[in-house]
Amino acid sequence: MRSVVVTGTGVTAPNGLGKDDFWDATRAGRTGIGPVGRFDATGYPATLAGEVPGFVADDHLPSRLIPQTDHMTRLALVAADWALADAGIVPSEWPEFGIGVMTASSSGGFEFGQGELKNLWSKGGQYVSAYQSFAWFYAVNSGQISIRNGLRGPGGVLVSDQAGGLDAVAQARRQIRKGGGLILAGGVDGSICPWGWVAQLAGGRLSTDADPGRAYRPFAADAAGHVPGEGGALLVLEEEDAARARGARIYGRVAGYGSTFDPHPDTGREPGLRRAAEIALRDAALAPSGIDVVFADAAAIPDLDRVEAEAINALFGPGGVPVTAPQTMTGRLNSGAGPLALSTALYAMRDGLIPPTLTRDPSPAYGLDLVRDAREAAVGTALVLARGQGGFNSAMVLTTAGAPAAVPA
């Protein structure tokens, strides 16, 4: 079985534009959550968001792309450029069908779509941009990245909300195992605009606390929802032997993956998160004792936090593994969350440091070893968990490049 590794990362996050700024802020515990700046949210119940700082699209992209794209897609295009550069990849030097794109999305270009619908309603159809036909679409990031960079290999998009980013990376891994090559995979997401805001409020999971320091507090007894954010990460994945042959720097190996779907609540059956983690561990040929850190989904809804804590404790025992949720510094990024967590885990492996969780008064009732201050530790393996609204569960295991490639049982 082909071993698949990560050789490049591109990050656009609310607490850092670019991987170095992001990791510096994350390891130091600096938050990117604050009052919404992309529109006036004072009349809405929720008023906080994680917004990517200092991003000026014209500084990074040709002017012709600006009127064609949503803010979310512009972030994705820049993350793709950075990931390819980080991996030392010049697409024009590769075979025509040698590089593919696999992304995830939760909503597509909501802000772009809102603007064009406003034009339609207030001015008429002749004022609606022709780019509306695709700029709103959930597959737009895969398409625009492919067109901009001439990437004609395997492509696609997955839609499974917060779990989608892990699913996209897993699909890229499957494609590489089938035939080699290289795939740019992950997710960059966000819909911080009135239309997207109302849609998220309707889900009933947004925190209405106006204090950035306590609004998003997973695993606290009084947890009351999450803060939404924008951004995410794209990863360059390739077959390990090929990566070593070209002298690539390897961040780590995608060693295992599992996904499940929750049963209907009326069945009384157990939610599927623990089973997804078990499948991922089995795929990686690792026992729970072989995991050094868990990157939690951290929904900040008491019932969902309980389910996640029970799944972790069932696998590792109470307090049996360090657990962290650095998304408390960015907000939940929908399909961008999983790839950003994967990137964070890879940096943690490289530097021997588990990043902190910014949460107020975590409840001891959950029985978790929640990392609240950056913790130096030898990190050779990580389990990343993600759940999408509606019942999606995904889990992914990463190992360092120095570890022997696992052969699934």
Side-chain angles (χ1 to χ4, degrees), residues 5-10 80 82-87 89 176 182-185 234-238 246 251:
V5 295
V6 177
T7 57
T9 62
W82 289 343
L84 291 168
D86 189 39
I89 298 296
I176 292 169
L182 181 149
I183 296 182
L184 189 62
L234 291 169
L235 314 178
V236 173
L237 280 79
E238 55 187 302
R246 72 177 185 88
Y251 281 101

Side-chain angles (χ1 to χ4, degrees), residues 12-16 31-33 49-53 229-232 329-331 333 340:
T12 58
N15 63 338
T31 186
I33 291 174
E51 297 176 332
V52 176
E230 64 179 12
M329 293 174 252
T330 64
L333 307 184
L340 188 62

Side-chain angles (χ1 to χ4, degrees), residues 219 273 304-314 365-368:
F219 304 112
L273 183 62
L304 295 175
D305 285 353
R306 175 186 54 77
V307 166
E308 184 167 30
E310 288 176 351
I312 293 170
N313 290 335
Y366 289 113
L368 298 177

Side-chain angles (χ1 to χ4, degrees), residues 68-395:
Q68 299 181 29
T69 51
D70 181 80
H71 172 68
M72 170 268 302
T73 299
R74 296 169 198 156
L75 290 172
L77 287 166
V78 172
D81 288 349
W82 289 343
L84 291 168
D86 189 39
I89 298 296
V90 179
S92 61
E93 297 176 355
W94 281 63
E96 183 179 6
F97 298 97
I99 305 177
V101 184
M102 196 71 60
T103 69
S105 177
S106 67
S107 58
F110 249 50
E111 186 177 42
F112 191 102
Q114 175 178 312
E116 298 310 310
L117 287 174
K118 181 179 178 181
N119 288 342
L120 174 65
W121 296 331
S122 63
K123 300 178 182 179
Q126 67 270 34
Y127 293 94
V128 176
S129 168
Y131 298 124
Q132 167 68 358
S133 61
F134 59 80
W136 69 271
F137 193 43
Y138 59 84
V140 66
N141 286 358
S142 284
Q144 288 284 19
I145 292 168
S146 174
I147 293 167
R148 173 168 164 76
N149 296 282
L151 311 182
R152 301 184 65 188
V157 60
L158 290 97
V159 182
S160 46
D161 191 47
Q162 188 91 357
L166 295 187
D167 297 337
V169 172
Q171 178 65 4
R173 177 179 179 236
R174 292 189 195 102
Q175 292 293 334
I176 292 169
R177 283 179 157 184
K178 287 179 181 179
L182 181 149
I183 296 182
L184 189 62
V188 174
D189 213 342
S191 51
I192 302 178
C193 61
W195 191 20
W197 208 247
V198 170
Q200 293 181 80
L201 283 166
R205 295 186 178 184
L206 294 196
S207 171
T208 58
D209 197 315
D211 179 357
R214 69 182 308 276
Y216 182 18
R217 47 188 189 276
F219 304 112
D222 62 346
H226 69 268
V227 173
E230 64 179 12
L234 291 169
L235 314 178
V236 173
L237 280 79
E238 55 187 302
E239 196 271 328
E240 182 170 356
D241 289 344
R244 293 191 185 280
R246 72 177 185 88
R249 180 268 322 280
I250 296 175
Y251 281 101
R253 183 179 295 117
V254 181
Y257 165 74
S259 64
T260 60
F261 197 79
D262 286 339
H264 193 280
D266 292 345
T267 65
R269 293 162 54 200
E270 178 186 358
L273 183 62
R274 178 171 65 88
R275 190 159 54 88
E278 290 172 338
I279 294 169
L281 288 167
R282 187 162 59 247
D283 185 32
L286 285 174
S289 59
I291 295 296
D292 296 323
V293 62
V294 173
F295 283 74
D297 175 69
I301 300 291
D303 286 347
L304 295 175
D305 285 353
R306 175 186 54 77
V307 166
E308 184 167 30
E310 288 176 351
I312 293 170
N313 290 335
L315 286 169
F316 302 98
V321 64
V323 177
T324 187
Q327 62 267 43
T328 49
M329 293 174 252
T330 64
R332 285 171 70 85
L333 307 184
N334 298 318
S335 65
L340 188 62
L342 294 175
S343 299
T344 310
L346 292 167
Y347 307 151
M349 291 178 182
R350 180 193 64 193
D351 293 352
L353 184 139
I354 301 173
T357 303
L358 303 190
T359 187
R360 292 286 185 89
D361 303 320
S363 172
Y366 289 113
L368 298 177
D369 176 15
L370 195 64
V371 177
R372 299 189 61 202
D373 296 302
R375 182 183 301 179
E376 292 185 1
V379 182
T381 58
L383 173 66
V384 178
L385 303 177
R387 291 175 292 182
Q389 192 161 352
F392 300 99
N393 303 287
S394 293

